[in-house]
Amino acid sequence: MNTLLTMHNPRQAREYYDSGVWKNDTFYSLLESNARLYPQGYAVRDKHRRLNWPELQEEVTRVAGALHQLGLRRGDRVAVWLPSCVESVVIFLACSRNGYVCCPSLHKNHTVQDIVNLLNQVRCKVLFTQPGYAADITGKSILDRSADIASLKQIMMVGEDGAQANAGAQADAANAASPVSCYPGPEAPLIESPVDNDPDKVLYLAFTSGTTGNPKGVMHSDNTLLANGRAMVDDWGHTADTIMLTLSAMSHHIGTVALEQSIVTGAELVVSDSSDPAKWMDWILLSKANYLLGVPTHGIDLLKEARLRNLKSLGNVDVFYLSGSVIPPWVAQEFFNLGVKPQNTFGMSENGSHHYTQPADPEPIIVGTCGRCCQGYETRIWRQDNPNVEAETGEIGELGGRGGLLMLGYFDNQTATETSFNDQGWFLTGDLGTIDESGCLRIVGRKKEMVIRGGRNIYPGLIEDLAHSYPLIRKAAVFPVPDPRLGEKACLALIWEGTAAPDYVSILQYLYENGLSKYDMPEYILVVDTFPMTASGKILKRELTRAVVAGEFKPEPVHWRANRPRTEVS
């Protein structure tokens, strides 16, 4: 019995099964199959350990048995606050095996208070973490705060090398209110526990990255996740010989997308817990990965590292999945020059990587769009002023979608679940964009991040795309600055790579000559060293606005004089 309230609809489910979008597989049943088919094949690797498929299955069974022994029931929530490691994959698969709900999206940049709040939100029963991991400025660890999580039955400590936590960590555990034990190592007994073969159970509960508000808990089943993995594998031709390396953390949904594709094909999944581009490059070359996954920031930093090393390729890499934010066109072009084909992808935790470019797509589609919708999902654009009316082809509107990749709802949040759909039952993403006649999607910004200047809508994505193609602008973001008369004005924030200061007149001239309307011109420019980011690699634009209002940032006013030829600015 499923005790979690979801949007699961039996009639709709039958349609998904009949069409082949959903199947009877779970992540764990595919693990079992891979262990039989590829007994010598590698399954997962981090900087300390590398397991083949039978070894991975054995460790999953051991961890599942330990959780079963704690008295967990189907639907109980198990959280993971760890760096990207073999154990984070094992715990996810153990939850699939026994019918628990895995909460993987606890990030390193969360404070201890954040973790306390999130664990209480989902009424977590077991937390896996690491000694001293991401303790905040107060010096407190999650062990010190465990008494504030009423539902918590057990904390399991994972050692840095995959072994049991050391004696010092066990001493720290003496201060914890909840029982603390060590991650079950190879010497721990294999305790048999019942296998839950239901692919429609809730397996995954991840928190949205929250660029515009409080995080919501997104629920997925084995089926809603695997439908995405199967579609991507079919379209891009991955096999058991593929080596997949995710630069995004396993706490981010891109890490889950990588695991989906790995488990579907029997391919090796390589994880990275570093934030250093030099170490990424070393890991890429050492692992012999041929399929990378990450966000555009990863791509930008890798290109810089490749230039420093005078590399003509990225080792064996021939495809780079990029998602999380818009890919600057120059980034895509530089990867082509290195023999790497970008997989320009769009999606979110709620509906996976549902739009992406295909291997046979020409460069203009890969560089300029997010490709077409994948098998098992469909999208449409809806009017901004009326989300129940479909927009015309080419008209900017809000993206809506439906299909077998869609989440099962927001955990314990009926209001958020209900208000996320229009009257026709399409999930509204909050993203603004267009879909052309060939079905290719182009995102121009978030609805809540749109700049409204005196009643005129200014779309940040249009300005950012042009700015990203300007020489020496490494990264750009457009955000609203409050204005007493017009309500808001657009500020262009940029990371500048030149040795001399940027010429704002030249930048405005470039934007204008490349098609930006004079009515959409930025009226402020701000040069920054770094952007405030979410854990998933998205720019926190609301934080930029807050910093300007607070006086922490002082953008330079810039003025575009109207009715001048495209060769003049002032």
Side-chain angles (χ1 to χ4, degrees):
M1 182 180 73
N2 183 14
T3 56
L4 297 179
L5 300 178
T6 73
M7 299 189 301
H8 184 80
N9 182 303
R11 179 191 60 78
Q12 203 168 52
R14 284 195 298 273
E15 293 176 1
Y16 296 150
Y17 276 108
D18 290 344
S19 66
V21 172
W22 286 5
K23 298 181 184 293
N24 290 315
D25 300 321
T26 67
F27 278 83
Y28 182 72
S29 72
L30 290 172
L31 168 60
E32 286 185 308
S33 176
N34 289 337
R36 290 192 304 269
L37 292 172
Y38 313 112
Q40 303 302 318
Y42 286 113
V44 62
R45 183 181 189 181
D46 64 18
K47 64 183 180 183
H48 297 296
R49 299 201 291 157
R50 191 180 192 185
L51 302 183
N52 62 32
W53 287 104
E55 289 169 339
L56 177 59
Q57 184 185 5
E58 180 179 327
E59 188 160 330
V60 167
T61 302
R62 184 179 295 110
V63 171
L67 292 171
H68 177 69
Q69 195 172 38
L70 292 172
L72 265 63
R73 302 188 305 169
R74 173 185 168 122
D76 281 344
R77 272 72 73 196
V78 175
V80 183
W81 195 26
L82 290 170
S84 292
C85 55
V86 166
E87 291 76 27
S88 54
V89 175
V90 170
I91 297 159
F92 184 99
L93 296 173
C95 288
S96 174
R97 184 191 188 282
N98 283 18
Y100 311 136
V101 180
C102 186
C103 305
S105 59
L106 308 182
H107 306 300
K108 186 174 184 178
N109 64 353
H110 278 136
T111 66
V112 170
Q113 184 60 55
D114 291 335
I115 298 300
V116 170
N117 294 342
L118 294 172
L119 296 186
N120 277 320
Q121 183 176 331
V122 300
R123 298 181 289 281
C124 176
K125 292 294 179 69
V126 177
L127 170 67
F128 287 84
T129 190
Q130 195 173 81
Y133 184 65
D136 58 24
I137 196 169
T138 66
K140 296 287 188 181
S141 77
I142 193 65
L143 297 178
D144 300 316
R145 298 292 307 281
S146 60
D148 297 328
I149 309 164
S151 61
L152 198 62
K153 297 180 66 171
Q154 189 86 12
I155 298 175
M156 286 194 169
M157 304 297 289
V158 179
E160 291 187 359
D161 59 354
Q164 292 190 345
N166 59 32
Q170 295 179 49
D172 292 341
N175 297 322
S178 300
V180 178
S181 61
C182 290
Y183 181 86
E187 69 288 343
L190 277 172
I191 300 168
E192 286 300 320
S193 56
V195 176
D196 190 324
N197 290 314
D198 180 8
D200 298 323
K201 65 183 181 294
V202 178
L203 163 64
Y204 175 88
L205 201 171
F207 298 104
T208 57
S209 55
T211 60
T212 57
N214 294 324
K216 301 183 287 288
V218 176
M219 295 185 291
H220 275 285
S221 66
D222 291 78
N223 253 328
T224 58
L225 294 175
L226 289 171
N228 195 189
R230 283 189 287 260
M232 297 188 79
V233 164
D234 288 347
D235 287 332
W236 279 84
H238 300 308
T239 69
D241 295 325
T242 303
I243 299 176
M244 305 179 174
L245 194 165
T246 174
L247 298 174
S248 291
M250 291 305 297
S251 61
H252 179 242
H253 194 73
I254 290 177
T256 304
V257 172
L259 177 57
E260 293 164 8
Q261 296 180 84
S262 166
I263 205 79
V264 165
T265 57
E268 182 178 17
L269 173 61
V270 182
V271 301
S272 168
D273 71 344
S274 175
S275 57
D276 182 351
K279 291 183 178 178
W280 299 341
M281 189 68 78
D282 291 342
W283 197 217
I284 288 166
L285 300 176
L286 177 65
S287 67
K288 302 189 186 309
N290 49 9
Y291 179 49
L292 283 186
L293 298 95
V295 298
T297 303
H298 290 130
I300 291 168
D301 291 346
L302 274 176
L303 288 172
K304 185 175 182 179
E305 183 66 22
R307 289 194 293 271
L308 288 173
R309 300 190 189 197
N310 197 29
L311 296 179
K312 304 303 180 186
S313 69
L314 296 184
N316 292 345
V317 175
D318 53 15
V319 177
F320 196 166
Y321 163 115
L322 289 161
S323 188
S325 62
V326 176
I327 305 174
W330 70 267
V331 171
Q333 189 58 58
E334 284 201 31
F335 277 117
F336 276 118
N337 296 342
L338 289 171
V340 177
K341 179 167 287 190
Q343 185 183 14
N344 198 338
T345 307
F346 177 81
M348 53 201 305
S349 300
E350 287 88 339
N351 48 22
S353 299
H354 58 80
H355 258 271
Y356 48 82
T357 53
Q358 302 273 359
D361 284 337
E363 287 190 21
I365 288 180
I366 293 174
V367 171
T369 79
C370 299
R372 301 170 185 82
C373 209
C374 73
Q375 181 185 2
Y377 203 70
E378 56 181 324
T379 53
R380 293 182 185 176
I381 300 294
W382 302 87
R383 296 248 320 250
Q384 295 182 59
D385 58 350
N386 187 346
N388 299 309
V389 176
E390 192 171 354
E392 299 293 330
T393 300
E395 178 184 352
I396 294 175
E398 185 170 3
L399 181 67
R402 65 183 183 185
L405 283 64
L406 188 61
M407 66 170 181
L408 299 176
Y410 294 116
F411 176 80
D412 207 17
N413 195 334
Q414 182 66 23
T415 300
T417 301
E418 282 185 349
T419 56
S420 294
F421 293 81
N422 69 4
D423 291 349
Q424 283 76 41
W426 293 75
F427 173 72
L428 300 173
T429 69
D431 296 284
L432 297 175
T434 63
I435 295 178
D436 63 24
E437 293 179 351
S438 66
C440 290
L441 171 69
R442 186 183 183 200
I443 296 294
V444 300
R446 292 281 296 167
K447 189 173 182 179
K448 292 182 180 179
E449 294 174 353
M450 185 169 58
V451 180
I452 304 177
R453 182 192 186 278
R456 177 179 173 81
N457 295 342
I458 297 176
Y459 301 103
L462 297 176
I463 305 173
E464 290 162 359
D465 281 353
L466 293 175
H468 283 143
S469 64
Y470 185 88
L472 301 178
I473 291 181
R474 180 186 175 210
K475 187 74 174 172
V478 174
F479 64 96
V481 171
D483 182 82
R485 176 173 170 266
L486 296 170
E488 293 177 336
K489 290 183 177 180
C491 179
L492 170 62
L494 54 91
I495 297 175
W496 181 253
E497 290 197 320
T499 54
D503 182 343
Y504 297 158
V505 171
S506 295
I507 292 173
L508 293 178
Q509 175 70 22
Y510 180 87
L511 297 176
Y512 187 56
E513 291 189 349
N514 283 272
L516 185 65
S517 166
K518 61 187 178 184
Y519 300 109
D520 294 339
M521 279 291 167
E523 294 177 80
Y524 294 95
I525 293 182
L526 173 67
V527 179
V528 297
D529 295 325
T530 60
F531 284 120
M533 307 287 282
T534 68
S536 59
K538 298 174 185 175
I539 297 173
L540 278 167
K541 294 185 179 180
R542 71 169 185 268
E543 179 60 20
L544 292 171
T545 299
R546 183 207 64 77
V548 169
V549 172
E552 298 167 17
F553 288 151
K554 297 187 182 300
E556 292 284 335
V558 290
H559 177 63
W560 178 268
R561 185 175 297 171
N563 300 319
R564 288 288 189 92
R566 286 196 179 264
T567 57
E568 298 181 21
V569 296
S570 64

